[in-house]
Amino acid sequence: MKYKYSIPVFILLVSALALSSCKKDFLDVTATDRIPTVTLETDTAVFEAFVVNSYIGTRLQSKEAEGTNPGFGRGFEYSMWSSLTDESVYNNDDDTWLIQRGQLAPENLGALGSLWGRSYRSIRECNYALSVLTKIQMSAGRKKRLEGEIKFIRAFRYQDLIRNYGKVVLVGDQVLGLKDNLQDPALFERATIKAGMDYAIAQLDDAVSKLPLDNSGEWLAGRATKGAALALKSRLTLYAASPLYAAGSWEAAVAAAQQVISLNKYSIYQGGYGNLFLTNQTNESIFERLYTKNANHVHLEIANGPNGYGGWAGNTPTQTMVEAYDLTNGLPANITNPLYDPAKPYENRDPRFKATVLYNGAPYRERNIETFIPGGRDSKDGNDNWNTTKTGYYLKKFMNDAYPLQNPWGNAGFQPWIYFRYAEILLNLAEASNEAYGPDVVGPGATMSARQAINMIRSRAGVNMPAVTAASQTDMQTAIRHERQIELAFEEHRFYDVRRWKIAEVTENLPCRGVIITKNTDGSFTYTSKIALDGRKFEPKHYWLPIPRAEILASGNLLKQNTGY
């Protein structure tokens, strides 16, 4: 039943007169849940805090921003970006399976639904900050650094847009409001990929000239430096030269990677491959997101741990990923390799394998992993079997054994998310130099060849894989692509690498495989391949994501959709 209340007019009039006769205007209140615009535009400390906060985006959909709001890309979430590729499958779906199966649509992008909106929201914040910067009173040196920082953040947002959607709308420095003509067709014109790349790279060149070389004093760790801007430029120039983009040159990509190298500031971390991802501010890290108490990310150990330990499995590595790891002699793991024993398929692997994947028999915490059946504690015969891995493997990379797995709340989630590290830069140079000059030529202005760059990574202490012996440019290309797959596994590279190389129609159409391990009565094991997730599908249209339907409709259909959607 509805009740309708009627208030006599005279009461309203009396109330209005009473209010107007008071000295205090009760309708003139100051909001306490936000900073007044005048404060933001005049208080230098508040303004700088606003700029720093721009590294963090807004939570726009469910299944993201556990602990703290998202940064760039996806980072540490329950379902990681790796589970949209052949690296892993997310055990509990969380809107990832539809992407693996090629079912994403403008109405449903699954786990990828917030990239467009979050990126443009951040770009507007950056443009607003630049407009304030021209008016606010502060020293010229401080303004210069902040301008470089803002342009770096904005270029990073454009990277997220370009590598996911291809052609994007370049907003420039505009700060649009509700009083502007938001149906102006020019606001929805998508620039060419080359124009987008050129714009972002030019912004980074400007940022490099303004940013400090180091984090020190008031320029705290986690804020952009010259190295961060040059690393992003290196990635973008590499992408621009790649077949999917065809918007740059391999020579330019070599030069951009060399700019980072020539800083003489970064090197390969020698404290162990696995430890690299648990340690803040190593000599290899160029730009990373740091976490702390009350500002943590997903509790990775329980989110990805084996069911026998009380974990939820999470991002489970695929058999394809496992098979990608060569043996210690540098050759593939198959019966033609003298080091390969099919009865012990995980032995003699590239050491990065054991730092990345938990497999049957792997030592973990107080015992060894048991994914075998019957009776394995980390198999479907173990506790909480609804959390049993779909692939037969669990993720080891990023996991910190010093953090509690059970009841970790508030006592875990502090690993850094590394956006750029020196190994990526060496791989960028190796790939670009090989494409431009071949395996062994040191290009103009460079300090190393493709072969030298890739072998620096493989000679990391604790890895010590044999030097790459590929002789031809084609064989070296294969070796470099394989090295990226191994070295950068689960770091949000594979999704973009297979697309920019235009091989996704092969890699992403292969079945998502796992393994069934049966323990025999004599204690030996039998390994049987299985399909971990059925229906994987990739079509040419999937090289780019669809723009969300809501954005198309909001533009009055002036914003053009990507082909095929």
Side-chain angles (χ1 to χ4, degrees):
M1 178 181 292
K2 289 186 178 180
Y3 295 92
K4 185 175 180 180
Y5 294 93
S6 178
I7 303 176
V9 174
F10 77 90
I11 293 179
L12 293 176
L13 289 171
V14 171
S15 299
L17 288 170
L19 284 172
S20 65
S21 66
C22 294
K23 292 182 179 181
K24 182 176 178 64
D25 187 349
F26 289 100
L27 298 180
D28 184 13
V29 297
T30 300
T32 59
D33 63 341
R34 68 202 68 183
I35 297 171
T37 301
V38 65
T39 303
L40 182 60
E41 295 182 351
T42 56
D43 188 315
T44 57
V46 172
F47 173 71
E48 187 160 352
F50 174 81
V51 172
V52 172
N53 195 59
S54 297
Y55 287 95
I56 309 301
T58 303
R59 184 181 190 268
L60 296 178
Q61 67 180 43
S62 62
K63 307 295 185 180
E64 68 177 12
E66 172 71 16
T68 51
N69 278 4
F72 306 104
R74 188 165 177 83
F76 290 131
E77 297 285 3
Y78 281 115
S79 60
M80 295 173 64
W81 210 278
S82 62
S83 291
L84 311 177
T85 74
D86 60 357
E87 291 178 318
S88 64
V89 58
Y90 189 64
N91 234 46
N92 301 307
D93 188 0
D94 277 9
D95 297 327
T96 61
W97 295 356
L98 70 90
I99 299 168
Q100 290 268 28
R101 289 166 169 160
Q103 297 168 346
L104 75 171
E107 299 79 13
N108 187 6
L109 279 81
L112 301 178
S114 60
L115 276 171
W116 182 277
R118 181 157 52 244
S119 297
Y120 276 113
R121 180 171 179 152
S122 179
I123 288 168
R124 188 188 186 281
E125 291 173 353
C126 289
N127 288 353
Y128 171 69
L130 287 173
S131 72
V132 173
L133 193 62
T134 63
K135 300 174 290 186
I136 198 167
Q137 297 297 311
M138 65 170 60
S139 69
R142 190 176 178 189
K143 276 192 175 185
K144 180 180 178 181
R145 289 193 300 274
L146 286 174
E147 182 182 354
E149 185 171 34
I150 295 165
K151 289 184 174 180
F152 167 80
I153 294 169
R154 185 169 65 177
F156 215 143
R157 296 300 179 190
Y158 274 114
Q159 180 228 229
D160 278 350
L161 289 166
I162 294 169
R163 69 177 182 168
N164 284 292
Y165 303 98
K167 298 177 181 179
V168 301
V169 177
L170 297 177
V171 182
D173 293 339
Q174 295 181 89
V175 185
L176 297 172
L178 295 177
K179 295 181 180 180
D180 293 300
N181 177 14
L182 300 181
Q183 292 302 312
D184 181 354
L187 297 179
F188 306 103
E189 183 177 343
R190 298 175 67 190
T192 64
I193 292 177
K194 178 170 173 45
M197 283 290 192
D198 289 348
Y199 174 79
I201 291 168
Q203 291 292 299
L204 290 167
D205 283 334
D206 192 25
V208 169
S209 70
K210 295 177 170 65
L211 287 167
L213 179 62
D214 300 304
N215 296 110
S216 60
E218 293 182 358
W219 204 261
L220 299 176
R223 298 182 74 172
T225 61
K226 291 185 186 295
L230 288 173
L232 179 52
K233 177 184 176 181
S234 173
R235 183 184 293 173
L236 285 175
T237 54
L238 183 78
Y239 281 28
S242 300
L244 179 64
Y245 297 82
S249 70
W250 293 114
E251 292 81 2
V254 172
Q258 184 60 49
Q259 282 186 284
V260 182
I261 295 167
S262 293
L263 292 176
N264 293 315
K265 179 176 171 58
Y266 310 104
S267 56
I268 294 296
Y269 178 69
Q270 303 297 339
Y273 179 77
N275 291 334
L276 170 63
F277 307 101
L278 311 180
T279 309
N280 291 343
Q281 303 174 63
T282 69
N283 55 295
E284 184 167 337
S285 179
I286 299 172
F287 182 58
E288 62 189 16
R289 183 175 178 184
L290 300 170
Y291 297 86
T292 187
K293 193 81 170 178
N294 299 320
N296 57 276
H297 53 68
V298 166
H299 296 79
L300 298 172
E301 291 72 27
I302 190 170
N304 295 278
N307 61 295
Y309 293 76
W312 305 336
N315 303 277
T316 55
T318 64
Q319 186 65 29
T320 298
M321 187 70 235
V322 169
E323 290 173 358
Y325 289 90
D326 290 338
L327 299 190
T328 53
N329 59 5
L331 300 175
N334 57 45
I335 58 174
T336 65
N337 191 327
L339 291 182
Y340 182 70
D341 181 354
K344 299 178 181 179
Y346 309 124
E347 295 304 307
N348 300 315
R349 296 275 181 158
D350 180 326
R352 289 172 290 189
F353 168 69
K354 292 186 178 182
T356 304
V357 179
L358 287 176
Y359 54 92
N360 186 58
Y364 185 58
R365 297 189 181 240
E366 70 276 9
R367 61 176 175 83
N368 292 343
I369 296 293
E370 298 179 359
T371 56
F372 61 79
I373 54 173
R377 285 180 282 184
D378 308 305
S379 74
K380 64 183 179 65
D381 294 340
N383 295 332
D384 303 338
N385 62 6
W386 54 89
N387 286 325
T388 301
T389 170
K390 292 186 179 300
T391 64
Y393 303 100
Y394 296 94
L395 185 61
K396 170 62 174 170
K397 191 171 183 176
F398 310 119
M399 306 304 133
N400 192 331
D401 293 355
Y403 297 161
L405 193 154
Q406 296 186 8
N407 298 315
W409 321 119
N411 297 303
F414 311 132
Q415 299 94 324
W417 176 261
I418 302 174
Y419 289 116
F420 301 107
R421 58 188 179 95
Y422 192 60
E424 179 191 345
I425 303 303
L426 292 176
L427 286 165
N428 293 353
L429 184 136
E431 181 178 345
S433 186
N434 182 62
E435 297 293 338
Y437 311 113
D440 295 301
V441 174
V442 178
T447 56
M448 65 185 76
S449 67
R451 189 183 308 278
Q452 289 170 325
I454 191 173
N455 285 336
M456 284 181 65
I457 298 167
R458 293 170 66 83
S459 63
R460 182 195 301 272
V463 174
N464 294 317
M465 286 293 287
V468 171
T469 59
S472 70
Q473 186 180 45
T474 300
D475 288 347
M476 181 59 81
Q477 180 191 78
T478 300
I480 292 168
R481 290 181 176 185
H482 177 261
E483 190 69 17
R484 286 185 71 94
Q485 183 182 14
I486 299 302
E487 175 68 21
L488 304 177
F490 299 94
E491 296 178 51
E492 291 190 8
H493 289 277
R494 182 68 173 169
F495 183 92
Y496 300 107
D497 281 348
V498 298
R499 283 163 174 75
R500 67 184 180 84
W501 294 329
K502 296 191 76 172
I503 64 171
E505 289 168 80
V506 176
T507 62
E508 306 311 290
N509 275 316
L510 294 175
C512 177
R513 293 181 296 121
V515 66
I516 298 172
I517 303 175
T518 304
K519 187 173 185 178
N520 303 313
T521 55
D522 62 358
S524 64
F525 297 102
T526 300
Y527 302 86
T528 306
S529 180
K530 71 168 185 176
I531 300 298
L533 180 70
D534 60 10
R536 288 190 88 220
K537 185 178 181 181
F538 186 95
E539 301 175 57
K541 68 179 181 180
H542 295 140
Y543 279 107
W544 305 114
L545 298 182
I547 297 171
R549 179 72 67 200
E551 300 290 344
I552 303 291
L553 295 175
S555 74
N557 291 312
L558 292 173
L559 185 63
K560 300 303 180 185
Q561 182 59 271
N562 274 330
T563 302
Y565 294 104

